[in-house]
């Protein structure tokens, strides 16, 4: 009887956490994601880069966060560049090309890591093997700390001017 109650309580906790995770992502529409290894920069029709740096329009950007200051993230689009010695690598816009955005990171941001929630050197791979995208949900603090240390290729979802989801793209 005791083990039955313990099992029931554990199932309730798992269901509750699953519902909470779903509720966080259900607060905005399911935007269509680009190809993880697309070879062109994604357009943002109507975005005026000549005005001060500001959020991208609603949707999913293949990009990386270049700076985090007090909950405000600067980010830019990236594309996959094929190489003759390796499979390739991600690149941002060339120097002098203005394609940067800035958005606050939502308090309830969903961060799906490809490398676990511990420091990067721990070697934990948490990748969906079919998509190559991060699958381990980590805290907002881990997102801010990790992406403040240097660019990590990711899908960055923006909704109503805020970053609501960041899903890392695994690159070996």
């Amino acid at each position: 009887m005791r083990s039955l109650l313990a099992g029931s309580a554990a199932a309730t906790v798992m269901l509750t956490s699953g519902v909470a995770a779903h509720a966080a992502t259900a607060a905005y529409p399911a935007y269509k994601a680009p190809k993880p290894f697309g070879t062109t920069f994604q357009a943002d029709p109507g975005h005026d880069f000549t005005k001060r740096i500001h959020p991208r329009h609603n949707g999913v950007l293949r990009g990386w966060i270049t700076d985090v200051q007090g909950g405000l993230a600067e980010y830019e689009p990236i594309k996959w560049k094929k190489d003759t010695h390796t499979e390739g690598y991600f690149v941002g816009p060339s120097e002098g090309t203005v394609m940067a955005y800035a958005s606050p990171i939502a308090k309830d941001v969903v961060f799906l890591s490809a490398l676990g929630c511990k420091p990067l050197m721990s070697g934990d791979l948490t990748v969906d093997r079919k998509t190559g995208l991060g699958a381990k949900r980590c805290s907002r603090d881990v997102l801010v700390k990790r992406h403040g240390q240097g660019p990590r290729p990711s899908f960055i979802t923006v909704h109503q001017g805020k970053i609501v989801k960041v899903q890392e793209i695994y690159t070996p």
Side-chain angles (χ1 to χ4, degrees):
M1 179 72 159
R2 209 177 278 166
S3 63
L4 182 61
L5 288 174
S8 173
T12 302
V13 169
M14 289 174 63
L15 286 172
T16 305
S17 64
V19 169
H22 176 67
T25 60
Y28 56 89
Y31 298 112
K32 186 178 191 278
K35 293 178 181 178
F37 296 94
T39 56
T40 59
F41 293 119
Q42 290 171 256
D44 189 11
H47 191 92
D48 188 354
F49 289 103
T50 64
K51 298 196 174 174
R52 66 174 177 75
I53 190 168
H54 58 281
R56 187 177 196 284
H57 289 92
N58 290 347
V60 181
L61 175 71
R62 179 186 53 252
W64 50 34
I65 296 173
T66 57
D67 189 36
V68 179
Q69 298 278 330
L72 183 71
E74 290 187 19
Y75 52 102
E76 64 185 18
I78 58 174
K79 67 180 180 177
W80 186 251
K81 183 170 177 146
K82 295 185 185 210
D83 191 22
T84 56
H85 302 302
T86 66
E87 289 182 39
Y89 52 93
F90 283 105
V91 296
S94 60
E95 193 167 333
T97 304
V98 181
M99 294 183 79
Y101 305 96
S103 297
I105 300 172
K107 298 278 185 216
D108 60 347
V109 66
V110 174
F111 173 43
L112 299 173
S113 172
L115 302 169
C117 299
K118 295 178 182 164
L120 287 177
M121 298 302 166
S122 67
D124 293 339
L125 285 180
T126 53
V127 178
D128 180 314
R129 294 192 190 278
K130 290 182 182 177
T131 64
L133 300 174
K136 172 75 173 167
R137 185 159 182 178
C138 301
S139 71
R140 181 180 189 275
D141 291 340
V142 172
L143 166 69
V144 169
K145 185 175 182 181
R146 182 171 301 164
H147 288 262
Q149 293 173 345
R152 296 276 326 137
S154 304
F155 282 161
I156 302 167
T157 304
V158 176
H159 180 70
Q160 296 180 343
K162 292 182 180 176
I163 296 174
V164 295
K165 182 177 178 182
V166 176
Q167 186 171 23
E168 290 181 335
I169 302 169
Y170 177 71
T171 54

